[in-house]
Each structure stands twice: as structure tokens, then as C-alpha cells.
Amino acid sequence: MNAVLPSLHREPFVGGRFVPAMGGGVEALVDPWTGRPLTEVALAGPVEVEAAIRMARHAFDAGDWPHLPPVDRGAVLHRIAAGITARQDKFAQIEAVNAGKPISGALREVEGAIRVFTYYAGAMDKVFGDTIPLGRDLLDFTLREPLGVVAQIVPWNFPLLGASWKLAPALAAGCAAVLKPAPLTPLTALLLAEVCREAGVPDGFLSVLPGGADVGRRLAEDPRIDGISFTGSTAVGSEVMRLASASIKRVALELGGKNAALVFADADMEKAAASAVASGFGNAGQSCSARSRLLVERGALEPFARAFAAAAAKLKTGKALDPATNLGPLISASHRDAVDRTVAQAREAGADLVSGGVMPEGDGFFYPPTILSGVGPDNPAFSREIFGPVCSLTPFDSEAEAIALANDSDYGLNGSVWCRDIGRALRVARAMRTGMVAVNGLPSASKTSVFAPFGGYKRSGIGRELGLQALDFYCEIKNVVVDLT
Ligand code: NAD
């Protein structure tokens, strides 16, 4: 790893080249596995933000990229996928130590990034406009045109994947992108910029600006930017929307979640428990998709809790680069403290510990997989997005109560239902106010993500990423009507 870090760019990528940053300050990155310093990154300041926006605007307004046949932009995206593939281990190792991910998970995320560039490489030439029947004398048709200059803001929990989900459809559609990674995890986004340049993304069409809230606010406000796609917390999403409103920017928001899994008594308990562990404790629970509320039919509560705790006990914490490790640390000491405080508050409000809940001694920002029982709707563990390895158990007595509990949330990202009665499963799936529902499990990410739309109802966001639906954000629709007389 020490050999990889010095070879990395640790300064902003502005319109096609890495530049020594002026005035944005420096972020000292910490390895969450050890708590020790990792490296330093120069953050973008007002000068780099201004240059990136100016270059993107000029590139989009004067450049060829938006007007190329989509298949030609697709060829560049294929080369980006190949460039990531060629550096798969490097990307995964950096992500592992910068974002606190076990190497096995980091490698899966790199594969996900490759898949997303490959998908959009072949997507844009299959998205057509419409012809609208208006009679013999008129011809009416629609054109899909690139939206323009887009800003993209991503959080620290899936740094490369989050950047790829946004960048691939934007570039495929012909937009110019200014991407802001989270200040704690900018390294893989900067390496991705290098790959994009080598693959042939023309100058001006991509900037990557490591930076914090000040950079994000400038991007949200700037009238030269046509759209902003934000992933992060609901509170910041709301601020981004407000800042973007002055210039009537198009806004896409992928925000928080407090997702429920509904386990009925006839479910396959082992499978439901294994999925609860993968979903609730994967990425140490730092996932908007984590299904941290386990709603269980009362008669099945005991056997499910036993199976869940037994499956969680098999998680293995160890070294970042050990392929057998499958539970990493939290991103920072302060975040771990916040998780621990919420667990304490949940217990004060009446929750019991089934497992975990005690902060370990030693280096690194580890927190054990924690299961709380007796969690009612008034408990903070039921309503608050904890963003750590903490799941709660809540019993229900009827299908109607299960649905009411599941929907008792400001969020609406995803949910799952576990039962063998297919009629009930589909009734519940339809009744859940979430953007995504899994019935009896979630197949491996390789079968679902990329191809299907991802996003939430209610305060989980606006718009969809992935699938062909993501292209709706990055395209304008123009209607052309021709008088044939
Ligand atoms: P955050 O909202 O604090 O930060 C997200 C990004 O916004 C970072 O890049 C940050 O630097 C930037 N930012 C912070 N303040 C800003 C401001 N005022 N204006 C513009 N940009 C600003 O979120 P976080 O703590 O980094 O990430 C965790 C959150 O992200 C959780 O709520 C999680 O659910 C959410 N998330 C959602 C999805 C999804 O797809 N729905 C995916 C991953 C994470």
C-alpha cells in the first residue's frame, strides 16, 4: 500500500489536468483501520471551482462531445471501463485504506464501477425520441439533448461507486461534469479522473474537486451550472435544493434511508437472517440502503433474533487487505462516537441489547454489529438513520400493522418483504412507500444494480440513478413540430 499512495494525484483535477491547489487548504486523511495518518490532499478553493465551471461551460457550449454520435462517446466509456479494470487492485487497495473497507468489499465496488461505465457505454445509442401523431399536415417529434454542465456531489461511504454512478450517465449523455468527492475520501475519484483523461474525455468536460461544504455550496449556487446531482444526507440535500432554486437548476437527490425488512412467520428464517446481516452490517452499516429496521411477526421474533445474532457473530474483523475480513471500521472516530451515543439513547428509551453495543478497545474506529430488541416507533433507533452497524427488532401482529410500521418513516428508500405467500408478498411490496422493494432477498449486486432504477420516495430523494432512468436527469427533451403544408 505504501508503494501505491505516493504515485497518486492528491490535488484537484481541473478541466483535464491536475493543478496545484491555491487557497482550499489541506485535508489530512486518516486510515480508519488504524486511526493513523494516511496522506494529505490539497482541496479545491474558489480559484479551482471558478476555473472548473468556466472550462466546463466553454467546453459544453463550444465542444464536439455533446454532438458526437452516442456510439463514439460510448467508445470512450468502454475505454474508461478498461482503464479501471487495468488498475482494479490499485483502486480497491486505496478504497480499503481510505474509506475503511475490507478488500473483498472494495474489489466488488470496483467491479461495480466497471459495470456501470460498460452499461452506459452501450446505453445512449438505444435511447430514442418519440414521434407524436398530429395528423397529415404536421410532423411532431422529440429530441433528447444533453442537459449541459452538471455538478455532482458524493459522500464518503461509496467513493468510487458513487462517483461512477453519476459520471457514467453524464458523460454518456454528452454533458460536462464537475464532480466533488467528499473531503475524507477523494483518492479514488482523482484516480478515476486520470483514467478518464487517458480514455479520451476531452478537456473541460471533467473536473474533480476534492473539497467540503464550501465547494458544494458554490456548485449548487452557480448559475452557469444546469443541473446538480447530490448524494448525501437529507439535511444537506435540502440546502442544496434551496441554493439551486435561485437559478432554477435541475436537482436530483439521493438522500438518507431508514429501511425496513418485513419478516413474516412463514419466511425462510435462515435466508432472511443472512440477508439482514449483509444489508444491515455490510459496509459497517454505512449505507443508505441498509435495512436496519427488522419488523418481525411476533411468533417468529425469537427464532429470527437467534438466527440473526448467530449470523452476525460470524462476521470477521481483521486487517484491511485480508480477503477473509468482512467487517471494517467506521469512517472516523467522531462518527463512531455518534453511533455509540445513539445506541445509548436507544437503550435509555427502553431497547434491550441482543448483541454488540460495546465499543472495543484499541486502534481503529471499529464498532461491533449491534442488535437491539424491544424497539418501538418512539425509540430513536426506529426513526434515526444511524449509519453504523446497528439494527433493531420490532414485533408486529398483522399484515396491516407491518405495513403501517414500515411506512412510519420520513424516509422511503427501500424495503424488503420475507414470506412464502406470494399474494401477501406482492400486496406488501405495493403498499410500501419506498422507491425499491426486494421480495425474499436481494440477488447479488451484479444482477440488479446498474440495470434497474435506484432512488427513493419521500425524504429519501428526488429522481433515479442507474438504469435508463438515470439518463432522464442528464437529458433535455426538445419537441420539434413541422408544418408540412
Ligand atoms: P453529507 O450530506 O454530510 O455530505 C455529502 C456530500 O455533500 C459531501 O461531499 C459533502 O462534502 C457535501 N456537502 C456538505 N455540506 C454541503 C453543503 N452545504 N452544500 C453542498 N455540499 C455539501 O453526507 P455524508 O455524511 O457524507 O454521507 C452520509 C449520508 O449520505 C447519509 O444520510 C446517507 O444515507 C446518504 N447517502 C445516500 C445515498 C443514496 O443513494 N440515497 C447513498 C449514499 C449515502
Side-chain angles (χ1 to χ4, degrees):
M1 194 56 223
N2 290 342
V4 171
L5 280 177
S7 69
L8 293 178
H9 280 286
R10 282 160 289 167
E11 64 276 357
F13 178 84
V14 179
R17 62 191 186 90
F18 290 94
V19 298
M22 302 189 331
V26 166
E27 182 79 25
L29 306 185
V30 173
D31 177 348
W33 294 87
T34 61
R36 286 198 284 274
L38 187 64
T39 186
E40 290 187 343
V41 170
L43 302 180
V47 172
E48 291 78 34
V49 177
E50 170 58 27
I53 297 173
R54 196 170 17 83
M55 289 174 80
R57 189 73 257 169
H58 177 74
F60 183 80
D61 292 340
D64 290 333
W65 180 256
H67 310 287
L68 290 178
V71 70
D72 292 353
R73 288 196 299 269
V76 174
L77 267 75
H78 275 303
R79 288 200 293 274
I80 297 172
I84 303 171
T85 307
R87 297 166 178 82
Q88 210 157 346
D89 289 337
K90 186 172 177 179
F91 270 108
Q93 286 173 16
I94 297 165
E95 206 78 313
V97 294
N98 186 193
K101 290 171 187 289
I103 190 71
S104 54
L107 277 166
R108 276 197 302 277
E109 289 173 31
V110 179
E111 283 165 14
I114 295 166
R115 205 175 302 124
V116 84
F117 278 101
T118 306
Y119 175 80
Y120 287 107
M124 203 54 209
D125 52 357
K126 298 167 190 73
V127 174
F128 312 112
D130 300 308
T131 49
I132 294 147
L134 291 179
R136 188 185 53 194
D137 295 341
L138 291 171
L139 173 63
D140 193 304
F141 59 92
T142 61
L143 297 173
R144 273 180 178 256
E145 298 181 342
L147 175 63
V149 177
V150 292
Q152 307 181 315
I153 298 180
V154 292
W156 44 259
N157 58 341
F158 293 103
L160 174 67
L161 208 50
S164 302
W165 283 21
K166 294 195 188 302
L167 216 44
L171 292 174
C175 292
V178 180
L179 172 77
K180 191 197 84 60
L184 295 179
T185 54
L187 297 177
T188 47
L190 291 168
L191 184 56
L192 180 61
E194 211 177 311
V195 169
C196 288
R197 180 178 61 183
E198 277 175 30
V201 174
D203 285 353
F205 283 90
L206 175 62
S207 290
V208 176
L209 305 178
D214 52 332
V215 175
R217 285 197 195 96
R218 280 173 201 279
L219 295 175
E221 276 173 340
D222 198 289
R224 292 166 293 180
I225 293 178
D226 301 293
I228 181 160
S229 175
F230 171 85
T231 300
S233 61
T234 297
V236 175
S238 168
E239 187 184 354
V240 164
M241 198 171 176
R242 187 175 58 74
L243 294 172
S245 68
S247 54
I248 318 290
K249 256 184 207 56
R250 187 176 294 183
V251 176
L253 303 172
E254 296 292 346
L255 307 176
K258 187 68 193 177
N259 311 294
L262 279 61
V263 184
F264 286 86
D266 65 341
D268 178 335
M269 289 296 151
E270 294 299 319
K271 198 176 168 202
S275 171
V277 168
S279 172
F281 302 138
N283 209 39
Q286 300 167 118
S287 166
C288 54
S289 303
R291 288 192 292 271
S292 54
R293 289 189 298 150
L294 283 306
L295 313 180
V296 187
E297 195 164 3
R298 196 174 297 277
L301 192 60
E302 283 303 313
F304 177 77
R306 264 198 313 278
F308 186 21
K314 290 191 191 133
L315 289 170
K316 189 169 173 301
T317 296
K319 297 244 180 297
L321 302 186
D322 179 350
T325 303
N326 53 14
L327 181 70
L330 298 178
I331 188 72
S332 65
S334 61
H335 184 51
R336 178 175 68 162
D337 292 346
V339 168
D340 193 48
R341 272 197 304 279
T342 305
V343 171
Q345 287 164 6
R347 294 183 68 188
E348 278 160 28
D352 295 316
L353 266 185
V354 176
S355 65
V358 180
M359 200 135 81
E361 299 282 325
D363 300 330
F365 310 137
F366 294 96
Y367 201 81
T370 297
I371 303 174
L372 298 166
S373 66
V375 172
D378 294 336
N379 193 297
F382 188 90
S383 52
R384 198 180 297 168
E385 185 186 40
I386 301 173
F387 228 57
V390 182
C391 291
S392 62
L393 293 165
T394 306
F396 65 80
D397 291 302
S398 67
E399 183 180 316
E401 191 191 2
I403 292 166
L405 283 168
N407 287 340
D408 184 5
S409 174
D410 289 340
Y411 297 112
L413 191 57
N414 76 34
S416 71
V417 50
W418 297 83
C419 72
R420 289 195 165 93
D421 175 343
I422 189 67
R424 165 173 276 173
L426 294 178
R427 274 196 308 276
V428 173
R430 278 170 43 159
M432 288 177 85
R433 297 274 300 143
T434 57
M436 299 168 280
V437 181
V439 176
N440 289 329
L442 195 58
S444 73
S446 59
K447 293 192 183 138
T448 53
S449 60
V450 181
F451 311 104
F454 180 104
Y457 285 13
K458 302 197 273 184
R459 290 188 205 169
S460 286
I462 298 174
R464 294 294 178 267
E465 299 207 284
L466 301 177
L468 294 180
Q469 288 82 354
L471 294 169
D472 292 344
F473 177 78
Y474 294 104
C475 294
E476 286 281 17
I477 292 190
K478 177 177 284 176
N479 188 72
V480 180
V481 61
V482 186
D483 183 340
L484 299 176
T485 63

